[in-house]
Amino acid sequence: MNGSPKGQNSITLQTARYLEKRYPGHRCETLHVGQRIKALEKDFSPAAAALARADLIVFCYPVYTFLAPSQLHRFLELLYAAGHALRGKYAAQISTSKHFYDVTAQNFIAENCLDLGLRYLGGLSADMEDLQTEKGRFEADCFFEQLLFDLKNGSWQQRLPPAPAEAPRAVYRPQLAAAAKTAAHDVVLVTNAAPDDEQLHSMIADFKAACACPVREVNVRSYPFAGGCLGCLACAVSGSCVYKDGFDEFLRREIQSADALVFAFTIEHHYTHSSMKCYDDRQFCNGHRTVTAGKAVGYLISGPYSREANLRMLAEARASVSGMYFCGVAGDEGDTAQELAHLAQRLTFALEHHLRQPQNFYGVGGTKIFRDLVYLMQGLMRADHAFYKAHGLYDFPQKQPGRLLGMKLLGLALRLPAAQKKMRGQMSRYILAPYEKVLAQTQPRQLQTAAGGCGTTGTRGKNQ
């Protein structure tokens, strides 16, 4: 199942073709589900027939913005809707990327394989250039040989027993009073709510009522996308998308111009409806530029968010990588009204006081991957390169010669027995010296709390 919109020209597909030539004792068939998704929406029978013939189904795709391409998301939706009998068949996956959140993409595919009743065997997460190296080809061999071994021995990933079914709950109805509004800040709420999704619409209505800032709502499900991201990289040079549906201008004018972004969706198949993924992917018209850095972000999520570990990581990682202030997630598993009110208060407080937070591992790791990628590909990614230079994002360690020299001199000094004796037991004091200087100069800061308070009890996703 080739999920790349590039079809035969997919880099990821070349690994599958390599394995097909490397192990000729197996009959292989390729279905370009990413490239032909519009045709499959009209007639799913070619995919149904191929799946019926298969003993092993391999999902093959490039990683697009933390997950698989929107075209493959849409294919999974068609697969669920068709109700095709896949239970008992084996499944695996091959992805290529620069290892920017390949883990969340592979987790997403694995979770859906298990939901479909497939016997999931694992995946190969390769660098885009791995197949050109002896090491990369050997690792692909290892993956496939392990796959064959597990098939022979009936060894596949076992799913934990499902959580006990909860009693049906009444649909949430708006109940929060409207807060006084101020035009000081612009908040945009991006959703893909279906017309009949009463739960999510009610949550959105209450959040808009509780927020002290006016909230503009943009529903991407109704946007006339000409198609999902093609991975063509034309925008890396020009900064503009090859599609002529106006989305890049719309994105910058109506969404990225806001002071805060709130995303609202209902969980479907471990993320949400593919219309939101199409929106995610098409944002690549900004390349690797963190154009929303410094803004506040929050989520309204309907569904079992507490049981979606991969989705929780994705929400926090997106905020951290983009340099946004993560205000948290309001859901509908507990006291929905309270969570919505608290998120609205936290968002307003963050805007009023211009709050910032440091990047965590999710953000630092992702940023360094893109930093190195853009630097190496600056000849192609000209818009990204100019942005990275202008914002000081090329923070390579070798650009700190003074510190490097200082550490080398300290290392040389500590080789001397006399210096070791003098420093014995004193290292902590020397390390703490600059911090003590900061503390000695620190003065009290007065912080005016926004009216109504900014309590956070019950708001999941709070940064500790």
Side-chain angles (χ1 to χ4, degrees), residues 373-444:
L373 174 67
V374 172
Y375 185 79
L376 287 173
M377 301 185 69
Q378 58 185 269
L380 172 64
M381 300 179 177
R382 292 184 295 179
D384 287 348
H385 178 58
F387 182 91
Y388 275 52
K389 284 180 64 178
H391 291 80
L393 296 177
Y394 288 138
D395 57 343
F396 302 105
Q398 55 267 40
K399 284 196 164 189
Q400 304 176 53
R403 188 172 184 183
L404 287 169
L405 179 60
M407 290 295 105
K408 287 183 177 180
L409 292 174
L410 179 61
L412 288 171
L414 289 178
R415 293 181 184 180
L416 303 173
Q420 293 175 13
K421 183 178 180 180
K422 184 177 180 180
M423 291 293 293
R424 190 175 295 126
Q426 301 298 315
M427 185 62 77
S428 294
R429 185 170 64 84
Y430 284 105
I431 292 173
L432 285 176
Y435 299 93
E436 292 172 345
K437 182 179 179 181
V438 171
L439 291 174
Q441 298 172 348
T442 299
Q443 300 295 322

Side-chain angles (χ1 to χ4, degrees), residues 361-378:
F361 173 78
Y362 295 149
V364 172
T367 300
K368 288 184 184 295
I369 287 174
F370 279 168
R371 177 199 67 184
D372 295 352
L373 174 67
V374 172
Y375 185 79
L376 287 173
M377 301 185 69
Q378 58 185 269

Side-chain angles (χ1 to χ4, degrees), residues 192-433:
N192 64 345
D196 60 350
D197 193 342
E198 295 182 55
Q199 183 84 352
L200 187 58
H201 282 296
S202 295
M203 292 173 67
I204 292 171
D206 257 1
F207 175 80
K208 292 167 74 173
C211 189
C213 302
V215 179
R216 297 184 290 110
E217 183 177 341
V218 174
N219 194 319
V220 298
R221 190 185 285 248
S222 60
Y223 190 87
F225 289 108
C229 178
L230 299 173
C232 63
L233 292 181
C235 59
V237 177
S238 65
S240 299
C241 185
V242 293
Y243 285 121
K244 302 305 179 184
D245 56 12
F247 176 73
D248 45 358
E249 292 87 356
F250 175 82
L251 174 69
R252 290 159 184 156
R253 182 183 68 250
E254 300 295 333
I255 298 176
Q256 292 174 344
S257 61
D259 301 309
L261 281 68
V262 177
F263 296 94
F265 57 81
T266 296
I267 295 174
E268 293 181 26
H269 312 314
H270 304 287
Y271 184 44
T272 185
H273 184 265
S274 58
S275 54
M276 184 65 83
K277 190 58 177 61
C278 186
Y279 164 82
D280 294 338
D281 291 354
R282 288 291 302 276
Q283 286 188 88
F284 195 70
C285 61
N286 291 315
H288 303 91
R289 305 182 290 282
T290 51
V291 295
T292 54
K295 300 179 187 293
V297 64
Y299 288 83
L300 312 182
I301 299 180
S302 175
Y305 182 69
S306 64
R307 299 200 294 271
E308 295 284 352
N310 197 54
L311 182 54
R312 295 199 304 273
M313 177 166 63
L314 190 151
E316 186 176 350
R318 278 186 165 164
S320 190
V321 166
S322 59
M324 302 179 78
Y325 188 85
F326 186 49
C327 295
V329 178
D332 58 358
E333 296 177 280
D335 189 333
T336 306
Q338 184 187 64
E339 294 201 20
L340 292 167
H342 285 168
L343 179 60
Q345 291 167 358
R346 284 173 59 83
L347 188 76
T348 303
F349 185 77
L351 290 171
E352 289 180 346
H353 298 284
H354 309 287
L355 300 187
R356 298 290 183 269
Q357 59 193 176
Q359 289 183 309
N360 58 15
F361 173 78
Y362 295 149
V364 172
T367 300
K368 288 184 184 295
I369 287 174
F370 279 168
R371 177 199 67 184
D372 295 352
L373 174 67
V374 172
Y375 185 79
L376 287 173
M377 301 185 69
Q378 58 185 269
L380 172 64
M381 300 179 177
R382 292 184 295 179
D384 287 348
H385 178 58
F387 182 91
Y388 275 52
K389 284 180 64 178
H391 291 80
L393 296 177
Y394 288 138
D395 57 343
F396 302 105
Q398 55 267 40
K399 284 196 164 189
Q400 304 176 53
R403 188 172 184 183
L404 287 169
L405 179 60
M407 290 295 105
K408 287 183 177 180
L409 292 174
L410 179 61
L412 288 171
L414 289 178
R415 293 181 184 180
L416 303 173
Q420 293 175 13
K421 183 178 180 180
K422 184 177 180 180
M423 291 293 293
R424 190 175 295 126
Q426 301 298 315
M427 185 62 77
S428 294
R429 185 170 64 84
Y430 284 105
I431 292 173
L432 285 176

Side-chain angles (χ1 to χ4, degrees), residues 116-152:
L116 288 163
L118 293 164
R119 296 176 173 179
Y120 179 67
L121 297 171
L124 173 69
S125 181
D127 187 279
M128 293 171 60
E129 299 173 358
D130 274 358
L131 198 61
Q132 301 177 42
T133 68
E134 184 178 349
K135 174 178 175 290
R137 292 190 293 273
F138 177 69
E139 288 170 347
D141 291 344
C142 292
F143 160 73
F144 198 74
E145 288 169 13
Q146 180 72 58
L147 205 68
L148 297 177
F149 178 84
D150 289 339
L151 276 164
K152 181 179 179 180

Side-chain angles (χ1 to χ4, degrees), residues 2 4-15 17 20 30-36:
N2 177 19
S4 171
K6 296 180 181 179
Q8 290 281 8
N9 295 326
S10 164
I11 289 175
T12 320
L13 182 64
Q14 308 317 306
T15 298
R17 294 180 62 193
E20 184 178 354
T30 301
L31 193 66
H32 300 293
V33 300
Q35 188 181 60
R36 297 184 52 78

Side-chain angles (χ1 to χ4, degrees), residues 42-221:
K42 297 175 182 177
D43 180 11
F44 195 71
S45 59
L51 290 165
R53 291 189 292 270
D55 301 307
L56 169 66
I57 300 165
V58 181
F59 293 91
C60 187
Y61 61 94
V63 176
Y64 281 10
T65 57
F66 294 83
L67 294 168
S70 63
Q71 295 90 337
L72 185 53
H73 283 234
R74 181 61 182 141
F75 176 75
L76 288 170
E77 290 173 349
L78 298 176
L79 199 54
Y80 280 106
H84 191 68
L86 299 177
R87 188 167 299 277
K89 291 181 179 289
Y90 289 92
Q93 61 177 315
I94 298 172
S95 69
T96 58
S97 67
K98 297 307 293 184
H99 299 299
F100 180 86
Y101 288 95
D102 51 355
V103 290
T104 45
Q106 290 237 339
N107 287 342
F108 170 77
I109 294 296
E111 288 170 336
N112 278 283
C113 284
L114 294 172
D115 283 355
L116 288 163
L118 293 164
R119 296 176 173 179
Y120 179 67
L121 297 171
L124 173 69
S125 181
D127 187 279
M128 293 171 60
E129 299 173 358
D130 274 358
L131 198 61
Q132 301 177 42
T133 68
E134 184 178 349
K135 174 178 175 290
R137 292 190 293 273
F138 177 69
E139 288 170 347
D141 291 344
C142 292
F143 160 73
F144 198 74
E145 288 169 13
Q146 180 72 58
L147 205 68
L148 297 177
F149 178 84
D150 289 339
L151 276 164
K152 181 179 179 180
N153 290 279
S155 175
W156 64 88
Q157 187 177 122
Q158 300 295 324
R159 161 155 266 173
L160 294 175
E166 297 180 358
R169 291 184 294 165
V171 174
Y172 179 74
R173 302 297 181 192
Q175 54 190 271
L176 295 178
K181 305 297 180 185
T182 172
H185 303 286
D186 179 25
V187 178
V188 63
L189 185 145
V190 181
T191 184
N192 64 345
D196 60 350
D197 193 342
E198 295 182 55
Q199 183 84 352
L200 187 58
H201 282 296
S202 295
M203 292 173 67
I204 292 171
D206 257 1
F207 175 80
K208 292 167 74 173
C211 189
C213 302
V215 179
R216 297 184 290 110
E217 183 177 341
V218 174
N219 194 319
V220 298
R221 190 185 285 248

